[in-house]
Amino acid sequence: MYCKNCGTENPDKALFCKECGAKLNEEDTVKYATASNLPASSKKKTMDTTPISMWGYFGYEILFSIPIVGFVLLLVFSFGGTNNMNLRNFARSYFCFTIIVVVLFVLLLGSLGLSSSGLY
Ligand SMILES: [Zn+2]
């Protein structure tokens, strides 16, 4: 990289210019500064991490398995309807699981329909 002060070429990892002693990697230091500030600022935004009890998960599982109503709740919890990270993650994983089951179900029905239509 080149020194911004005098234009001398310096090794990329050099912190200071070998010619004039000016500080190099200005952008990197700024990046590190913002990166070190990030955890502090993001801590304010971090979600509620209160653990959900075993019965809590059990209850939500039953809730999510209710047709239509459960699916709506699942969508709400998955996309910001809750401030609890554990609940959101659980809702998202359940959402993925639901999609896989639905896709498999549709595929199964499709293959059954094909085979039956082939027979008759
Ligand atoms: Zn220089």
Side-chain angles (χ1 to χ4, degrees):
M1 63 144 47
Y2 294 92
C3 172
K4 285 173 187 169
N5 195 38
C6 65
T8 309
E9 193 179 356
N10 287 283
D12 282 344
K13 286 178 182 175
L15 292 173
F16 299 97
C17 174
K18 63 185 176 187
E19 196 68 26
C20 69
K23 203 174 181 182
L24 299 170
N25 284 324
E26 285 283 320
E27 285 172 27
D28 280 357
T29 49
V30 170
K31 270 181 200 167
Y32 285 130
T34 49
S36 59
N37 285 340
L38 268 178
S41 58
S42 63
K43 262 178 190 172
K44 289 171 189 168
K45 290 177 189 171
T46 45
M47 304 176 75
D48 179 16
T49 53
T50 311
I52 302 171
S53 67
M54 178 255 156
W55 289 110
Y57 278 113
F58 188 73
Y60 283 121
E61 225 165 288
I62 289 171
L63 203 65
F64 293 153
S65 60
I66 302 169
I68 303 163
V69 178
F71 192 71
V72 170
L73 283 171
L74 200 58
L75 285 174
V76 168
F77 285 137
S78 298
F79 301 104
T82 176
N83 200 35
N84 190 298
M85 201 160 73
N86 296 311
L87 180 55
R88 194 187 64 180
N89 288 342
F90 177 64
R92 282 178 177 178
S93 69
Y94 203 95
F95 183 62
C96 293
F97 178 74
T98 305
I99 286 171
I100 290 167
V101 168
V102 166
V103 166
L104 285 175
F105 193 69
V106 167
L107 285 175
L108 192 73
L109 279 182
S111 63
L112 281 175
L114 280 175
S115 60
S116 60
S117 65
L119 282 169
Y120 297 104

